[in-house]
Amino acid sequence: MSGVVIGLEIHCQLDTRTKLFCPCSTDYRDDGPNTHVCPVCLGLPGTMPAVNRTAVEYALRVAKAFHCEVPVECEFSRKNYFYPDLPKGYQITQYDRPLALGGYIEIEGDGGLEKRVRLTRIHIEEDPGRLVHKGGGDRARYSLVDYNRSGVPLIEIVTDPDLSSPKEARRLIEHLRATLEYLDVYDPEKEGSLRVDANVSIAGHERVEIKNISSYRGVEKALTFEITRQRSLIRRGVAVERETRHFVEERGTTRASRTKVEEHDYRYFPEPDLPPLRVADRAAAIELPELPAARRERFRVQYGLSPNHARTLTGNPGLAEFFETVAGDDPVLAATWVADTLLGELNYRGRPVGSVGPARFSALLALLKSGRITDRSGVEVLRIVLDGDEHPDAVVERLGLAVTGDDTVSAAIAEVIAEFPQAVADYRAGRGNAINYLAGQVMKKTRGQADPRELGRRLADALAEDGPCT
Amino acid sequence: MEDPYHAYIRRLEPRSPGTGILAGRTVAIKDNISTAGVPTTCGSRILEGYVPPYDARAVELVRDAGGAINGKTNMDEFGMGTTTENSGFGPTLNPRDTTRVPGGSSGGSAAAVAAGLADLALGTDTGGSIRCPAAFCGIVGLKPTYGRVSRYGLVAYANSLETIGPMGRSVGDVSTLLRVIGQPDPRDTTMRGTPYAHDPVPDVAGRRVGVPDEFFGEGVDPRVAATVRAAIETLASLGAEVVPVSMPSMACALAAYYVTCTSEASSNLARYDGVRYGPAVETARPWHDAFTLVRSAHFGPEVRRRILLGTFALSSGYYGKYYGKAQTARANVSADYARLFREVDVLAGPTMPTVAFRLGELADPLSMYLADILTVPANLAGVPAISVPCGTVDGLPVGLQLTGRAFDDETVIDIAAAYEAEVAA
Amino acid sequence: MVDEGEVRRIAGLADIQIPEDEMPAFTVQFNRILDYFEVLDTLGEAGAGERALHTVMRDDEPRPSLAREAVLANAPADEDGFIKAPRVM
Ligand SMILES: [Zn+2]
């Protein structure tokens, strides 16, 4: 996608126990509206903000992980605007003295090479409340406000316009998300915990801002749609208008905001109730855990994994830890089974990796490694283990899935040769495919317990013995 | 008890728990200080019907000390005024002369104390709002050091300038009330220093008292100036060393004050939109229209003016010229104080340039702003300042203002106590 | 010099309306006050970090929120636990 220029503004909720400026719990998602609200986050007259140290600590971890420069002091400012979800008529955010400047995120670029996406800044701010519109957003005659979300800590990460495609944007966000999880500052399971605004333009044309992308999967979709829209305008000789558009998740499209791009004048000024914060010293004291890139490299070296497996298995810290627990003495086998099979089965069930007991999974790997069950049975056992509450050994026992002794397979081969003379004849006539059909029949008779790699050879032997080729 | 001066917006039946250092004493609370379960209006129609679900820290401390809260006092709307005429609930009259204003914006608190309706009162001071009415009504009022009294629960007008403070009929009373409210509070993270635990020592011998020229300049009524100079002579007669000094940063102080307070106010008052409290917003209209209707209908003219001045001062293209420069001026005032307080222990001068105005006399907004010229410097620098009665002009009280080092409210109290003891004798 | 149009624009930013019949007098007074502020123009720009204090932060320890009735008690209108607000479209 040559000529595409993309920059992102990513908002992530920090996974603190309390809000940014008041001691209300952030654990509101299972509760009714306006149940996690106090005078401060409701913006009652006379209340004052008190900064949550953990939120600042978390934001500094992120800044450090992405190689940002942390100034000696940072400061909160007020962003003044009116909106029904904003209880104070301003948002406490950071403006000209943010928590962190510069830095970069490394992703795999479209050319397959490592690419450095520069960061402009990272700052902390408070989330507004949530608006609900009964009977569909557009036609509702009034808004309903839930202030439970009001005051939840966010970090806003702003990238330079260094991305060249929707795929790169998606990769950046995936990498960012993984890093935040490694840093233990973010919970991706919480609905609405990551929101993205994207600036996108075709080189030489006006820039459009897409707001309201509320999932990382939506980013690629929204950008792809928007680039197509802009390209088609340009092809038709229509100028791309500088505007703000909204992403419509359900339809995968963007639409013009009905409000004109007002000339915003947010009248930022330093929050008088919060003197500057000293942050450089705090940042210096932070010790980062092993981050995804380092762990990926270690997995390749220490366990001999392929780059693909190493990347997949380090995609989130829970998965990486799971892999390391079950790696045992055959990490490559473990990697294959975790990355290629287990993840797919979990995805299909919409379940997290944490829902699988590593001990059971290790038992399954042991069965596979010893050759007691076939790969095919392995998948069957895994599915049963995931869906029920049975140990792999018990499943194999109950269903008789252990690889069968020679006698049964030999008998089945003899029977098949007797029962399918046409296929035998085809094989002998030189149509090699026929052996696959016969193998299938043997599998059927043995209910899949024959080792498929062995079976082809033994069948060929039996056919050779049974009669001469013509 | 009657309230002939309209000192209160709401009277309360005092319920004193009976123990603590305020036991048996009535305390009036300015109506911009939040009281749980009791309406808190800030003198504004836009807060009609609002009942805070929590107590301000200062109110909590007054209750804990056994103080009997007997009402919420009248004030200029959100503290924006020097006369208490800008109240949405009508003006307060000066108990010393009911044709005159009590000063503002804590005019209700001052009138209540001056008229004996309350023993003590809490006021708030953003640019002189405790000291001005104390001077006009002939009582004592202290603006404590910024950061010494929790602002949690004080409805913000200009956060970086204002503080809650004590008002009473004697320096001793003011000191007692400061002991009660000058306690830490983790909810106000701009608090500093140690709790105030001082008993006044009425002694000024050997202290150096600076007298800035600028406090006796143009606009200061010569009779007021003469009364205050006489009071400073009294301090000298008690052993103080009087030192003439100069404070050139005064030239920009008032402009810096009004730019800063209106800027902060324009933001602080954005929350009054009729959604969460106050008069109902019309929810069937688009939000800007709906907010504009409710805000225009319920804010008074002076509040509207200051919101617009502040919005202008912060707006794109003007920020550097107004807000930015005001912060320079503010830093210059702090630097002047720092320099002077290396030479002297306190500064002395008049609290107000004149005696109390007649009702309706200050109709022009700029003339009203100019009346604050002598009180705003202490707010810009966050230093403590007290007003003590020091005589009369035409039968109307004059206040002596003593300003001290930050977090040295104790010295200001001591010197005021020394003066008070001498004139009482 | 700020004209009536500019006053209207500023008022719009603040969600405030100055009645048209008050506008001329309001604008005159507004300008007199701004003229007074001109004295600041004799000064240079302030550097950042003039505030000597630093924020003291609090621990991440939850405390009970308000009961929902208390949250809604002051709201002019509520519905199903939400607070009613103007529409945004
Ligand atoms: Zn809260």
Side-chain angles (χ1 to χ4, degrees), chain C residues 12-72:
Chain C
L13 283 175
D15 275 5
I16 295 249
Q17 198 166 30
I18 303 297
E20 278 306 305
D21 59 327
E22 294 174 23
M23 188 57 94
F26 186 93
T27 305
V28 169
Q29 283 175 335
F30 201 79
N31 277 294
R32 283 186 52 205
I33 297 164
L34 293 183
D35 283 348
Y36 182 78
F37 291 170
E38 283 298 313
V39 64
L40 293 173
D41 236 8
T42 59
L43 303 170
E45 288 280 346
E50 298 291 350
R51 296 155 83 187
L53 296 175
H54 288 103
T55 283
V56 177
M57 295 190 271
R58 69 175 169 85
D59 294 337
D60 189 22
E61 284 296 326
R63 313 257 314 247
S65 298
L66 288 172
R68 180 151 74 190
E69 304 77 70
V71 174
L72 303 180

Side-chain angles (χ1 to χ4, degrees), chain A residues 44-368:
Chain A
L44 290 189
T47 55
M48 299 175 71
V51 181
N52 180 341
R53 186 183 303 110
T54 302
V56 173
E57 205 74 32
Y58 282 6
L60 287 171
R61 278 189 212 167
V62 178
K64 199 160 180 179
F66 293 133
H67 323 282
C68 303
E69 182 196 320
V70 174
V72 174
E73 284 182 359
C74 70
E75 190 169 60
F76 284 103
S77 288
R78 292 185 184 179
K79 178 180 182 177
N80 295 287
Y81 66 98
F82 290 96
Y83 207 66
D85 65 6
L86 201 60
K88 299 187 294 295
Y90 57 83
Q91 179 194 33
I92 304 179
T93 177
Q94 297 190 292
Y95 181 56
D96 51 359
R97 302 180 73 195
L99 176 104
L101 290 161
Y104 57 88
I105 299 182
E106 267 169 347
I107 60 162
E108 188 194 336
D110 281 342
L113 294 174
E114 192 110 302
K115 174 168 180 170
R116 239 176 216 203
V117 177
R118 290 166 299 169
L119 299 184
T120 315
R121 58 187 278 151
I122 299 178
H123 71 246
I124 315 180
E125 62 186 24
E126 55 176 343
D127 218 344
R130 183 175 66 97
L131 291 185
V132 172
H133 296 101
K134 287 209 173 146
D138 290 16
R139 258 160 277 115
R141 294 200 327 281
Y142 52 86
S143 309
L144 294 173
V145 201
D146 171 12
Y147 293 99
N148 283 348
R149 196 179 71 180
S150 165
V152 169
L154 296 175
I155 43 170
E156 179 174 332
I157 301 168
V158 184
T159 78
D160 284 0
D162 283 355
L163 295 157
S164 336
S165 76
K167 277 205 170 53
E168 286 191 356
R170 195 205 61 214
R171 272 186 229 122
L172 179 110
I173 289 171
E174 278 171 358
H175 181 77
L176 171 71
R177 200 211 55 203
T179 306
L180 295 184
E181 281 186 68
Y182 273 69
L183 295 171
D184 204 18
V185 303
Y186 170 70
D187 182 354
E189 299 300 320
K190 288 186 175 163
E191 188 214 331
S193 55
L194 185 138
R195 276 160 277 153
V196 180
D197 297 342
N199 284 296
V200 54
S201 62
I202 311 290
H205 297 272
E206 281 291 359
R207 180 174 56 132
V208 170
E209 186 181 22
I210 314 172
K211 286 208 173 275
N212 193 33
I213 313 175
S214 57
S215 73
Y216 65 97
R217 292 172 198 87
V219 171
E220 190 175 0
K221 262 206 236 170
L223 285 168
T224 304
F225 174 88
E226 180 57 24
I227 289 164
T228 309
R229 191 188 69 85
Q230 291 185 20
R231 283 238 160 93
S232 103
L233 286 176
I234 292 164
R235 247 198 322 278
R236 284 182 284 134
V238 183
V240 177
E241 212 182 314
R242 183 170 184 143
E243 61 177 340
T244 300
R245 299 178 69 85
H246 280 263
F247 179 52
V248 187
E249 182 109 45
E250 315 81 66
R251 273 173 269 159
T253 59
T254 67
R255 65 164 168 73
S257 303
R258 209 156 318 161
T259 41
K260 269 276 160 207
V261 194
E262 302 149 58
E263 195 199 318
H264 282 301
D265 188 343
Y266 292 122
R267 291 159 283 132
Y268 290 96
F269 73 105
E271 165 59 63
D273 283 336
L274 296 173
L277 291 178
R278 297 188 64 88
V279 277
D281 302 349
R282 280 179 186 280
I286 288 174
E287 286 191 35
L288 293 177
E290 186 181 41
L291 294 175
R295 188 167 288 182
R296 197 160 64 220
E297 195 47 36
R298 180 165 65 78
F299 276 20
R300 287 174 55 182
V301 174
Q302 182 180 338
Y303 298 118
L305 303 190
S306 72
N308 257 341
H309 277 164
R311 181 183 301 278
T312 307
L313 292 174
T314 53
N316 73 64
L319 179 61
E321 273 149 36
F322 181 83
F323 165 73
E324 293 207 84
T325 311
V326 303
D329 53 5
D330 195 345
V332 174
L333 177 78
T336 307
W337 276 83
V338 175
D340 300 346
T341 311
L342 175 63
L343 278 187
E345 295 296 330
L346 287 173
N347 259 343
Y348 174 74
R349 288 164 179 76
R351 276 166 51 181
V353 71
S355 67
V356 189
R360 288 189 176 188
F361 195 80
S362 290
L364 173 65
L365 290 176
L367 288 167
L368 288 159

Side-chain angles (χ1 to χ4, degrees), chain A residues 19 22-24 36-42, chain C residues 65:
Chain A
K19 294 183 179 181
C22 67
C24 286
H36 291 249
V37 176
C38 73
V40 176
C41 54
L42 189 57
Chain C
S65 298

